[in-house]
Every structure is written in C-alpha cells, then in structure tokens.
C-alpha cells in the first residue's frame, strides 16, 4: 500500500477556484515529516536520528553516524501504521471527512561498509514510497468557490527514495560525513463530485538533497552529533484536467528549506542514557509565483512559511547489558502560517490544514525495546502520534484538522 501525505491545492482551472483536502503521496518529505525519519534506531528513539541513527539510515539523518558501529552491517525496518486524518468544516451540512488507513507499512533497507583498515565508511539506504496501489476515500469535504461539497477521491502513487553517503574518521573520536539523497515520485489523483468527474491531477517530481554531518565522542560519557542540509530546488511536472476541460500542463518549481540539527547522547547516570535532539528549518520568504512560476494561481501574494522547530527528549535504560528500553517525547511545530494574502491584505488561503502533515503541530510518544545478540540487533518499537491545526472562518480552508496515528515496527540490524 502506498504511503500517504495530505495536500491542499488552490488552483484556478476552468474559472473555478477550489481548496482541496485529499490524500496525495508526495516524493520528498521535509525534515519534520512523520514519515521522514527512517531506520530502526531512529524510529525507536522517537525521531532523534541526528544522534541515534545507525547503519545505512545514517545517510538520511547524519552521515557521520556511519562510524557509530565499527563493523559492516545491513538493516531492514518495517513499521505498519494505523492512521486517521479528520477534517471538520464550519458548514453544518457537511459531515467531517475522515481518511482511515488500516495498514501503512513504512519500509526501508540499507547498510554500511567499513574496510579492515582505513578511516572511510560507506552507506546506502532505499525507501519505497509507493508501489502503484490506489487509496480511495469517500465523502471527503472540498471547498469549491467558497462552498463545501463532499467528494470521492482516489490516489495512486509510485516512488522511491535512495541515498548514499560516506564518513571519514578525522581522529579516533571525530568523524565527518557527506550524503546525497534522491527522491522520485509519480502520482495520479482523481476527484468525483456528485457522481461526475471533477478533477484529475498527475504529478511527477524528482530532486536531489545534500547533507553534511559531524559526530564527536567526548571520552566515554557523551557523544555529540550535528547535521547541515542546504536548501534545494524541487522541480515538478503537473498535469491538470478539470470539469471536462482539456488537460493543462504546468512546470512547477518548489524548494526545501535549510536544515540545522544537533543532538547529544550521554551516559553519566548509571543505567540511564539520556539523549536530546533539536532541529531548525529556515524557510526563505517566497511567493506562490516565485516557487511555481507557470502554475495558475490567484496572483503573486506572499505565502507565509514559518521557520520550524522540533525537539526530541528521551532515554535508554539498560535492563541487562544486552537489553535496553527506550522512551521518548517528540514535538514538531507546523511550517505554514497565514498563507496567501490578497492585495487588500485579506487571507485568501490559510496554508495549513491538509497542506502536508507538517502544517499541524504534532506530538509523538515513543517506546522501544532493543535486544543485542552477537549476530544482530533486534528492535521493537511503537509510537503514538497526534497532530492538530485550526484554520479560521472566512478562509477557504476554514475548519479543524486532526491527525492520529499508531505506528508499531520491527527492525533487524546485522553485525
């Protein structure tokens, strides 16, 4: 089954303006996306990948962590997720729209390679983000010319994420790393209103993302990690057919923000090993026109992107030398604010709600169990995720948005 993201679209097509809350798979989650932190150690630590990632998953979170283990390894991570996304509109005639996904497997594989001598380590990871299956949602609310209606939606996604990286031991306790990540996605979404075809969207995207990481061990009592990911352009090809009109093609350009992250893993408290991570996304002020110069939108009014903050606080606890429990609390702030403002200064699109899961304030509660054996590490983990956002009345996306997810996963890391 394909992974889901929720997207809000505001397009002018055939003279009709609509704001749509629908499930669409997208290729590149931003750093705060609930699906962006991959790998069993990162999942079990509540998303603290800058300091806790291992094996090939370090390519995504902090490539310097490729030297966290002295031997070559490989991993497989599989996490089915029960996800419910609910939109409540201010219209009394429209019942709340709900997306329920009973099984949403988040899967990734990868590994790292170290030589018998020498300071270099190499890593790789692969994440399928869609295999062509179709997700269908019935009676979901959309806003057409300011009026809410219910629609049936189907979305089909194909895509993958592939990354490679390398780490270099500058000194025994200092490593630096570099990685490059490729995202590819192709999806088709069809919307039916009142038994008639209303809209069909086809979106194809490909982008490259770079990262620089550092890992520093302070004696035997703490490890520091840091990552820097520069902003990068993303290019889309969008085909749109609405209300029986001819297909229109648009070339879109978007970007991902600059990311800074730092983490600390300490071992001074007996069996407890507390860890913490903080990350910051810096968004450059932009307009819909600047990001998508050939997409038909309502003017060139600014889009307010919020600089995003997130943090993870947690600890491992040694039951035995080969068994560890972990608990974490994570919080992610939304990255979109007031949205599109018209020349008169009025908000014409809230820019949150179903515009990506990152448009919600989210809290994650995570617990994990790590079993260390001579041939491999086994990790079992679970996360409860809750996110909300509210858009005020008199905006096209007015309503209350709520996300609830339960993720349970199993990871295997060879030694």
């Amino acid at each position: 089954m394909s992974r889901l993201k929720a997207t809000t679209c505001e397009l002018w097509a055939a003279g009709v303006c609509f704001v749509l809350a629908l499930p669409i798979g997208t290729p590149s989650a931003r750093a705060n996306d609930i699906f962006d932190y991959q790998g069993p150690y990162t999942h079990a630590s509540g998303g603290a990948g800058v300091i806790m990632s291992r094996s090939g998953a370090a390519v995504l979170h902090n490539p310097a962590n490729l030297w966290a283990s002295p031997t070559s390894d490989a991993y497989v991570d599989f996490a089915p997720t029960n996800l419910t996304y609910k939109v409540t509109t201010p219209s009394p005639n429209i019942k709340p729209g709900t997306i329920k996904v009973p099984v949403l497997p988040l899967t990734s594989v990868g590994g790292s390679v170290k030589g018998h001598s020498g300071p270099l380590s190499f890593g790789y990871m692969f994440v399928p983000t869609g295999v062509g299956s179709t997700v269908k949602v019935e009676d979901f609310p959309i806003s057409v010319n300011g009026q809410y209606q219910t629609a049936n939606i189907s979305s089909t996604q194909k895509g993958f994420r592939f990354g490679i990286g390398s780490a270099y031991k500058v000194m025994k306790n200092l490593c630096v790393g570099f990685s490059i990540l490729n995202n590819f996605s192709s999806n088709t979404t069809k919307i039916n209103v009142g038994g008639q075809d209303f809209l069909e969207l086809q979106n194809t995207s490909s982008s490259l993302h770079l990262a620089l990481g550092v890992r520093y061990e302070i004696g035997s009592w703490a490890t520091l990690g840091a990552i820097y990911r520069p902003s990068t352009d993303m290019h889309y090809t969008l085909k749109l057919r609405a209300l029986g009109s001819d297909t229109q093609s648009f070339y879109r350009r978007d970007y991902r923000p600059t990311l800074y992250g730092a983490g600390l893993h300490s071992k001074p408290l007996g069996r407890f090993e507390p860890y913490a991570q903080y990350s910051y996304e810096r968004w450059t002020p932009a307009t819909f026109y600047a990001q998508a110069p050939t997409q038909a939108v309502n003017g060139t009014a600014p889009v307010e992107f919020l600089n995003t903050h997130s943090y993870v606080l947690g600890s491992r606890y040694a039951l035995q030398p080969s068994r560890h429990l972990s608990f974490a609390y994570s919080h992610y702030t939304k990255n979109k604010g007031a949205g599109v403002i018209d020349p008169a200064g009025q908000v014409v699109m809230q820019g949150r709600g179903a515009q990506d899961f990152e448009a919600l304030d989210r809290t994650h509660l995570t617990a994990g169990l790590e079993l260390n054996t001579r041939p491999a590490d086994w990790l079992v983990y679970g996360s409860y995720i809750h996110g909300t956002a509210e858009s005020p009345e008199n905006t096209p996306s007015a309503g209350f948005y709520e996300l609830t997810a339960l993720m349970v996963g199993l990871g295997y890391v060879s030694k």
Side-chain angles (χ1 to χ4, degrees):
M1 178 176 288
S2 67
R3 287 171 39 189
L4 288 185
K5 280 176 63 70
T7 299
T8 296
C9 304
E10 179 174 348
L11 302 171
W12 289 88
V16 177
C17 174
F18 66 93
V19 175
L20 176 63
L22 73 157
I24 299 179
T26 62
S28 73
R30 298 173 185 131
N32 284 359
D33 186 353
I34 63 174
F35 300 129
D36 196 43
Y37 57 86
Q38 296 286 344
Y41 294 101
T42 307
H43 273 138
S45 62
V50 173
I51 190 63
M52 302 299 288
S53 60
R54 300 292 186 271
S55 190
V59 170
L60 176 62
H61 307 290
N62 182 358
N65 286 341
L66 290 171
W67 268 119
S69 171
T71 59
S72 299
D73 54 37
Y75 83 88
V76 177
D77 190 31
F78 184 78
T81 302
N82 183 296
L83 184 150
T84 301
Y85 195 84
K86 186 175 182 180
V87 179
T88 303
T89 74
S91 174
N93 300 322
I94 302 297
K95 67 180 182 179
T98 301
I99 304 172
K100 291 185 177 181
V101 184
V103 179
L104 186 69
L106 308 180
T107 305
S108 66
V109 297
S112 64
V113 179
K114 288 95 171 176
H116 294 292
S117 63
L120 281 174
S121 174
F122 299 94
Y124 60 94
M125 69 172 298
F126 177 78
V127 181
T129 57
V131 293
S133 57
T134 300
V135 176
K136 296 182 179 181
V137 181
E138 296 183 353
D139 298 328
F140 203 79
I142 66 172
S143 176
V144 182
N145 292 332
Q147 300 295 321
Y148 275 99
Q149 301 183 39
T150 58
N152 296 330
I153 304 165
S154 65
S155 179
T156 303
Q157 160 102 2
K158 298 179 181 179
F160 64 87
R161 176 181 300 173
F162 177 72
I164 56 175
S166 178
Y168 181 82
K169 272 193 173 183
V170 180
M171 298 184 296
K172 182 179 180 180
N173 60 342
L174 175 63
C175 301
V176 297
F178 170 80
S179 65
I180 183 169
L181 186 73
N182 177 59
N183 286 317
F184 171 80
S185 179
S186 175
N187 60 66
T188 300
T189 300
K190 298 180 180 180
I191 301 100
N192 183 285
V193 177
Q196 296 183 348
D197 293 337
F198 178 72
L199 180 73
E200 179 177 332
L201 288 168
Q202 298 180 30
N203 195 336
T204 302
S205 174
S206 181
S207 60
L208 294 176
H209 307 263
L210 307 178
L212 298 173
V214 177
R215 175 184 175 88
Y216 181 70
E217 297 180 1
I218 308 174
S220 62
W221 65 272
T223 302
L224 294 171
I227 187 175
Y228 167 73
R229 191 184 299 278
S231 63
T232 183
D233 281 347
M234 295 186 60
H235 300 275
Y236 298 80
T237 299
L238 175 67
K239 294 183 179 180
L240 169 70
R241 183 170 61 85
L243 300 175
S245 62
D246 294 334
T247 299
Q248 303 179 54
S249 296
F250 303 103
Y251 175 76
R252 303 173 61 201
R253 187 177 75 246
D254 201 343
Y255 79 110
R256 293 282 80 85
T258 304
L259 168 68
Y260 306 89
L264 170 67
H265 181 199
S266 182
K267 303 179 182 179
L269 303 176
R271 294 189 175 188
F272 286 96
E273 300 178 11
Y275 57 85
Q277 175 180 298
Y278 172 77
S279 65
Y280 171 70
E281 287 184 349
R282 181 179 179 274
W283 287 81
T284 302
T287 66
F288 261 141
Y289 183 82
Q291 294 182 61
T294 59
Q295 181 180 347
V297 297
N298 186 16
T300 59
V303 181
E304 182 187 358
F305 287 100
L306 301 177
N307 291 331
T308 308
H309 307 265
S310 68
Y311 59 86
V312 182
L313 299 174
S315 180
R316 297 172 79 233
Y317 177 77
L319 296 172
Q320 298 175 0
S322 61
R323 296 185 181 183
H324 293 79
L325 287 174
S326 60
F327 302 93
Y329 172 86
S330 315
H331 184 74
Y332 299 80
T333 63
K334 53 182 169 283
N335 65 19
K336 295 212 172 182
V340 180
I341 304 174
D342 66 16
Q346 301 297 315
V347 176
V348 297
M349 190 183 84
Q350 183 61 23
R352 63 177 62 173
Q355 169 59 39
D356 297 336
F357 291 143
E358 299 93 340
L360 285 71
D361 285 307
R362 299 191 319 277
T363 297
H364 301 212
L365 299 175
T366 303
L369 173 64
E370 179 182 335
L371 303 177
N372 308 116
T373 65
R374 179 168 297 180
D377 291 344
W378 294 87
L379 294 97
V380 181
Y381 54 84
S383 288
Y384 171 77
I385 301 168
H386 185 253
T388 60
E390 187 170 6
S391 297
E393 295 186 11
N394 302 319
T395 62
S397 61
F400 180 75
Y401 301 81
E402 183 176 22
L403 164 72
T404 303
L406 179 63
M407 178 173 62
V408 178
L410 173 65
Y412 170 86
V413 186
S414 70
K415 295 181 180 179

